[in-house]
Amino acid sequence: PTCPVVLCLATALGGLLAALVDLPHTLGYILGGMLVGPSCLDLITRVVQAETLASFGSIFMLFGHGLIYSQHYRGPLGRLNDRAPGSPGSPGSPSGGGGGGGGGGG
């Protein structure tokens, strides 16, 4: 097989194994790439192709991490959660999740 195929298979298997033992996928990708790289098994002969693939992989990995953080900071309706939890008008506050005028009187 060619170098990009070996590298892709190694990183995919590394990510899968890392997920199976509850480690971050990124760690598995890195260890899989190191395993087939020149520092260990030396299965990669075309370093330029591997560097290009690594650049694209880094971009996609950072994009994926950005999506995860973006979802973390968004509320259930897809809006940014700019209010602290429990503050008046925030979704978790006792006054409800409204944020607009006049609380319930009695």
Side-chain angles (χ1 to χ4, degrees):
T2 62
C3 294
V5 173
V6 170
L7 191 57
C8 288
L9 286 174
T11 55
L13 288 175
L16 182 65
L17 290 174
L20 288 175
V21 294
D22 291 330
L23 291 173
H25 294 99
T26 309
L27 180 64
Y29 300 150
I30 293 171
L31 291 177
M34 286 175 56
L35 181 70
V36 297
S39 62
C40 194
L41 295 178
D42 200 20
L43 297 177
I44 303 298
T45 55
R46 298 180 186 168
V47 178
V48 176
Q49 281 185 341
E51 286 176 351
T52 304
L53 198 60
S55 296
F56 280 113
S58 299
I59 291 169
F60 287 130
M61 183 181 68
L62 289 172
F63 180 73
H65 283 286
L67 286 177
I68 291 171
Y69 292 129
S70 174
Q71 290 172 357
H72 175 73
Y73 289 113
R74 293 190 182 271
L77 299 177
R79 296 190 205 132
L80 284 177
N81 241 353
D82 55 350
R83 298 181 184 163
S87 66
S90 69
S93 71
S95 65

